[in-house]
Amino acid sequence: AQTVTQSQPEMSVQEAETVTLSCTYDTSENNYYLFWYKQPPSRQMILVIRQEAYKQQNATENRFSVNFQKAAKSFSLKISDSQLGDTAMYFCAFMKRPPTYNNDMRFGAGTRLTVKP
Amino acid sequence: NAGVMQNPRHLVRRRGQEARLRCSPMKGHSHVYWYRQLPEEGLKFMVYLQKENIIDESGMPKERFSAEFPKEGPSILRIQQVVRGDSAAYFCASSPLAAPTNTGELFFGEGSRLTVL
């Protein structure tokens, strides 16, 4: 079974600074996806960034980037130039990659990030 | 292009009543997933359905919970004889065709919050 661990229940950062959210996972699979989802107070789950395990290059989406360490099974999210609108719960998630998957996405418990003005 | 639509957004039930939650996937998506989120926790997989088929219900409680995705109409998550412990946010997600076209991303609705009095 796959498990996803987020060891930081809460974090805060000053506006415009950089913050890193940690995520580790446990799997015996070799092909999989990793995701970071954001859940603002509106509760909508919004995809922030996606990484495919077979790609060595770390994914980047504007101010969001990941540090993917496959051997260590670590997948941290770095938010640069933090903005007030980044305040939200952040969930790390894992999904097996086709063809040996069933679309069962496993989530960590989340990290509550607060960006302070 | 409407996203995943869930209704109702909020539902209040007394213990012993039935709760029905509906989910219309994004246009062109034939895969539907239900997740439950307890307060201050991550999303927990419940069930994965395709049209008229339950593919994986390994996360569904064995009693009182059922799900369907009929040929016509939305997917329904049904909870019979609700208890206080059923109070949670229930999220629906959809994805397009499975492998090899699936990128792994799930598109989430805004959730239905069930409160059991």
Side-chain angles (χ1 to χ4, degrees):
Chain A
Q2 286 69 233
T3 58
V4 180
T5 303
Q6 293 179 251
S7 58
Q8 305 153 313
E10 293 188 20
M11 293 194 72
S12 63
V13 62
Q14 290 296 132
E15 194 176 6
E17 293 189 347
T18 296
V19 64
T20 299
L21 309 183
S22 301
C23 172
T24 58
Y25 57 95
D26 184 27
T27 184
S28 58
E29 299 288 330
N30 193 44
N31 290 322
Y32 49 87
Y33 296 112
L34 294 163
F35 307 84
W36 278 98
Y37 275 88
K38 168 185 176 181
Q39 187 181 42
S42 67
R43 293 193 297 119
Q44 175 86 49
M45 291 289 285
I46 302 166
L47 178 66
V48 174
I49 200 163
R50 180 173 66 92
Q51 175 81 39
E52 298 182 50
Y54 73 91
K55 291 185 177 179
Q56 294 187 346
Q57 186 174 7
N58 289 324
T60 299
E61 286 288 341
N62 300 316
R63 298 181 296 106
F64 299 88
S65 62
V66 298
N67 182 5
F68 173 47
Q69 302 289 329
K70 191 172 183 180
K73 296 180 182 176
S74 170
F75 184 60
S76 60
L77 174 70
K78 185 171 84 170
I79 306 175
S80 304
D81 186 25
S82 297
Q83 300 176 0
L84 296 178
D86 296 333
T87 293
M89 283 287 286
Y90 286 81
F91 293 98
C92 179
F94 170 101
M95 178 189 288
K96 295 179 192 176
R97 193 172 182 271
T100 60
Y101 79 129
N102 64 359
N103 275 38
D104 174 4
M105 188 177 284
R106 304 280 173 159
F107 287 83
T111 297
R112 184 178 300 280
L113 176 67
T114 302
V115 180
K116 298 179 179 178
Chain B
N1 184 18
V4 177
M5 304 300 292
Q6 289 188 248
N7 70 82
R9 292 292 307 279
H10 300 276
L11 181 64
V12 179
R13 285 288 178 265
R14 295 190 182 280
R15 281 179 296 173
Q17 292 184 320
E18 178 180 289
R20 284 191 181 222
L21 309 177
R22 297 174 195 80
C23 169
S24 296
M26 285 183 70
K27 187 177 180 181
H29 287 192
S30 57
H31 300 242
V32 165
Y33 318 80
W34 286 93
Y35 286 81
R36 177 165 62 178
Q37 184 180 31
L38 296 172
E40 304 303 317
E41 292 188 14
L43 279 70
K44 296 286 196 299
F45 169 77
M46 297 182 75
V47 62
Y48 162 40
L49 310 103
Q50 296 178 22
K51 286 282 187 181
E52 300 183 280
N53 283 304
I54 296 174
I55 306 302
D56 181 356
E57 56 181 348
S58 59
M60 285 270 276
K62 293 289 186 286
E63 297 177 351
R64 302 188 297 107
F65 285 71
S66 63
E68 63 177 12
F69 188 17
K71 186 177 180 181
E72 301 290 338
S75 175
I76 306 284
L77 179 67
R78 181 183 177 203
I79 311 171
Q80 296 177 290
Q81 300 174 344
V82 296
V83 300
R84 288 222 174 109
D86 297 333
S87 294
Y90 292 84
F91 285 87
C92 173
S94 72
S95 71
L97 294 174
T101 59
N102 193 350
T103 60
E105 181 181 354
L106 297 186
F107 296 82
F108 284 86
E110 295 186 339
S112 293
R113 182 171 295 281
L114 172 65
T115 301
V116 180
L117 301 177

